[in-house]
Short mmCIF file of all heavy atoms in Angstrom, two decimals:
data_model
loop_
_atom_site.label_atom_id
_atom_site.label_comp_id
_atom_site.label_asym_id
_atom_site.label_seq_id
_atom_site.Cartn_x
_atom_site.Cartn_y
_atom_site.Cartn_z
N ALA A 74 3.80 37.88 -68.68
CA ALA A 74 2.53 38.58 -68.49
C ALA A 74 2.75 40.05 -68.84
O ALA A 74 3.50 40.75 -68.17
CB ALA A 74 2.04 38.45 -67.05
N VAL A 75 2.11 40.47 -69.92
CA VAL A 75 2.23 41.85 -70.38
C VAL A 75 0.91 42.55 -70.05
O VAL A 75 -0.11 42.29 -70.67
CB VAL A 75 2.52 41.91 -71.90
CG1 VAL A 75 2.71 43.35 -72.35
CG2 VAL A 75 3.75 41.08 -72.24
N ILE A 76 0.96 43.39 -69.03
CA ILE A 76 -0.23 44.05 -68.49
C ILE A 76 -0.46 45.39 -69.18
O ILE A 76 0.48 46.15 -69.41
CB ILE A 76 -0.09 44.27 -66.96
CG1 ILE A 76 0.24 42.96 -66.25
CG2 ILE A 76 -1.33 44.92 -66.38
CD1 ILE A 76 -0.77 41.86 -66.40
N LYS A 77 -1.71 45.67 -69.49
CA LYS A 77 -2.08 46.93 -70.15
C LYS A 77 -1.83 48.10 -69.21
O LYS A 77 -2.19 48.06 -68.05
CB LYS A 77 -3.54 46.91 -70.57
CG LYS A 77 -3.95 48.20 -71.27
CD LYS A 77 -5.16 47.99 -72.13
CE LYS A 77 -5.57 49.24 -72.86
NZ LYS A 77 -4.54 49.82 -73.71
N GLY A 78 -1.20 49.13 -69.76
CA GLY A 78 -0.96 50.34 -69.00
C GLY A 78 -1.68 51.52 -69.64
O GLY A 78 -2.66 51.36 -70.36
N GLU A 79 -1.14 52.70 -69.43
CA GLU A 79 -1.75 53.94 -69.95
C GLU A 79 -1.47 54.13 -71.44
O GLU A 79 -2.18 54.87 -72.11
CB GLU A 79 -1.21 55.14 -69.17
CG GLU A 79 -1.54 55.12 -67.68
CD GLU A 79 -3.02 55.32 -67.43
OE1 GLU A 79 -3.63 56.17 -68.11
OE2 GLU A 79 -3.56 54.61 -66.56
N THR A 80 -0.43 53.48 -71.95
CA THR A 80 -0.04 53.65 -73.36
C THR A 80 -0.18 52.32 -74.08
O THR A 80 -0.65 51.34 -73.52
CB THR A 80 1.42 54.14 -73.45
OG1 THR A 80 2.28 53.10 -72.99
CG2 THR A 80 1.65 55.41 -72.63
N LYS A 81 0.29 52.28 -75.31
CA LYS A 81 0.24 51.04 -76.10
C LYS A 81 1.54 50.24 -75.99
O LYS A 81 1.80 49.36 -76.81
CB LYS A 81 -0.05 51.38 -77.56
CG LYS A 81 -1.44 51.95 -77.74
CD LYS A 81 -1.78 52.09 -79.19
CE LYS A 81 -3.14 52.75 -79.30
NZ LYS A 81 -4.03 52.03 -80.17
N HIS A 82 2.33 50.54 -74.98
CA HIS A 82 3.59 49.84 -74.77
C HIS A 82 3.39 48.33 -74.68
O HIS A 82 4.20 47.54 -75.21
CB HIS A 82 4.28 50.37 -73.51
CG HIS A 82 5.61 49.76 -73.23
ND1 HIS A 82 6.73 50.03 -73.98
CD2 HIS A 82 6.00 48.86 -72.29
CE1 HIS A 82 7.76 49.34 -73.51
NE2 HIS A 82 7.34 48.62 -72.49
N ASP A 83 2.33 47.90 -74.02
CA ASP A 83 2.06 46.47 -73.89
C ASP A 83 1.88 45.79 -75.25
O ASP A 83 2.34 44.66 -75.45
CB ASP A 83 0.83 46.21 -73.00
CG ASP A 83 -0.46 46.78 -73.56
OD1 ASP A 83 -0.47 47.94 -74.01
OD2 ASP A 83 -1.48 46.05 -73.55
N GLU A 84 1.26 46.50 -76.18
CA GLU A 84 1.06 45.94 -77.52
C GLU A 84 2.39 45.78 -78.25
O GLU A 84 2.61 44.77 -78.92
CB GLU A 84 0.13 46.83 -78.33
CG GLU A 84 -1.29 46.87 -77.78
CD GLU A 84 -2.18 47.85 -78.53
OE1 GLU A 84 -1.87 48.19 -79.69
OE2 GLU A 84 -3.20 48.26 -77.94
N ILE A 85 3.25 46.77 -78.11
CA ILE A 85 4.56 46.71 -78.76
C ILE A 85 5.39 45.55 -78.21
O ILE A 85 5.93 44.75 -78.96
CB ILE A 85 5.31 48.05 -78.59
CG1 ILE A 85 4.59 49.15 -79.37
CG2 ILE A 85 6.77 47.93 -79.03
CD1 ILE A 85 5.06 50.55 -79.04
N VAL A 86 5.45 45.45 -76.89
CA VAL A 86 6.25 44.41 -76.25
C VAL A 86 5.74 43.02 -76.63
O VAL A 86 6.50 42.15 -77.08
CB VAL A 86 6.25 44.59 -74.71
CG1 VAL A 86 6.83 43.36 -74.02
CG2 VAL A 86 7.03 45.83 -74.33
N ALA A 87 4.45 42.78 -76.47
CA ALA A 87 3.89 41.45 -76.72
C ALA A 87 3.99 41.08 -78.20
O ALA A 87 4.35 39.94 -78.53
CB ALA A 87 2.44 41.39 -76.24
N THR A 88 3.69 42.01 -79.07
CA THR A 88 3.71 41.73 -80.51
C THR A 88 5.12 41.39 -80.98
O THR A 88 5.33 40.40 -81.69
CB THR A 88 3.15 42.92 -81.30
OG1 THR A 88 1.81 43.16 -80.88
CG2 THR A 88 3.19 42.68 -82.79
N HIS A 89 6.09 42.20 -80.60
CA HIS A 89 7.46 41.96 -81.06
C HIS A 89 8.07 40.71 -80.43
O HIS A 89 8.80 39.97 -81.11
CB HIS A 89 8.33 43.19 -80.84
CG HIS A 89 8.02 44.29 -81.80
ND1 HIS A 89 8.43 44.27 -83.11
CD2 HIS A 89 7.28 45.42 -81.65
CE1 HIS A 89 7.98 45.35 -83.73
NE2 HIS A 89 7.28 46.06 -82.87
N ALA A 90 7.77 40.46 -79.18
CA ALA A 90 8.28 39.24 -78.54
C ALA A 90 7.70 38.00 -79.23
O ALA A 90 8.44 37.07 -79.56
CB ALA A 90 7.95 39.24 -77.05
N ALA A 91 6.40 38.01 -79.46
CA ALA A 91 5.76 36.86 -80.11
C ALA A 91 6.32 36.64 -81.51
O ALA A 91 6.58 35.50 -81.92
CB ALA A 91 4.25 37.06 -80.17
N ARG A 92 6.53 37.72 -82.24
CA ARG A 92 7.05 37.61 -83.60
C ARG A 92 8.46 36.99 -83.61
O ARG A 92 8.77 36.11 -84.40
CB ARG A 92 7.07 38.99 -84.27
CG ARG A 92 7.62 38.99 -85.67
CD ARG A 92 6.85 37.99 -86.51
NE ARG A 92 7.58 37.62 -87.69
CZ ARG A 92 7.06 37.58 -88.89
NH1 ARG A 92 5.79 37.86 -89.07
NH2 ARG A 92 7.80 37.24 -89.91
N LYS A 93 9.32 37.45 -82.71
CA LYS A 93 10.68 36.91 -82.68
C LYS A 93 10.69 35.46 -82.20
O LYS A 93 11.47 34.64 -82.68
CB LYS A 93 11.60 37.76 -81.79
CG LYS A 93 11.93 39.12 -82.37
CD LYS A 93 12.34 39.10 -83.82
CE LYS A 93 13.59 38.34 -84.13
NZ LYS A 93 13.93 38.29 -85.58
N ILE A 94 9.79 35.13 -81.28
CA ILE A 94 9.71 33.75 -80.79
C ILE A 94 9.36 32.80 -81.92
O ILE A 94 10.00 31.77 -82.11
CB ILE A 94 8.70 33.66 -79.62
CG1 ILE A 94 9.30 34.33 -78.38
CG2 ILE A 94 8.32 32.21 -79.33
CD1 ILE A 94 8.30 34.61 -77.27
N ILE A 95 8.35 33.13 -82.72
CA ILE A 95 7.97 32.25 -83.83
C ILE A 95 9.05 32.24 -84.91
O ILE A 95 9.32 31.21 -85.52
CB ILE A 95 6.58 32.59 -84.41
CG1 ILE A 95 6.11 31.49 -85.36
CG2 ILE A 95 6.58 33.92 -85.13
CD1 ILE A 95 5.93 30.14 -84.76
N ASP A 96 9.69 33.38 -85.13
CA ASP A 96 10.79 33.42 -86.11
C ASP A 96 11.90 32.45 -85.72
O ASP A 96 12.43 31.73 -86.58
CB ASP A 96 11.37 34.84 -86.23
CG ASP A 96 10.47 35.81 -86.98
OD1 ASP A 96 9.48 35.36 -87.60
OD2 ASP A 96 10.76 37.02 -86.92
N LEU A 97 12.26 32.43 -84.44
CA LEU A 97 13.32 31.53 -83.98
C LEU A 97 12.90 30.07 -84.10
O LEU A 97 13.68 29.22 -84.53
CB LEU A 97 13.70 31.85 -82.53
CG LEU A 97 14.48 33.15 -82.35
CD1 LEU A 97 14.48 33.57 -80.88
CD2 LEU A 97 15.90 33.00 -82.88
N SER A 98 11.65 29.78 -83.75
CA SER A 98 11.15 28.42 -83.87
C SER A 98 11.23 27.93 -85.31
O SER A 98 11.69 26.82 -85.57
CB SER A 98 9.71 28.35 -83.36
OG SER A 98 9.22 27.04 -83.40
#
Side-chain angles (χ1 to χ4, degrees):
V75 183
I76 306 300
K77 181 158 182 57
E79 298 291 319
T80 67
K81 293 188 183 230
H82 182 72
D83 63 314
E84 294 176 22
I85 293 168
V86 168
T88 301
H89 287 284
R92 179 55 199 227
K93 289 314 297 177
I94 288 166
I95 191 62
D96 286 349
L97 288 165
S98 183

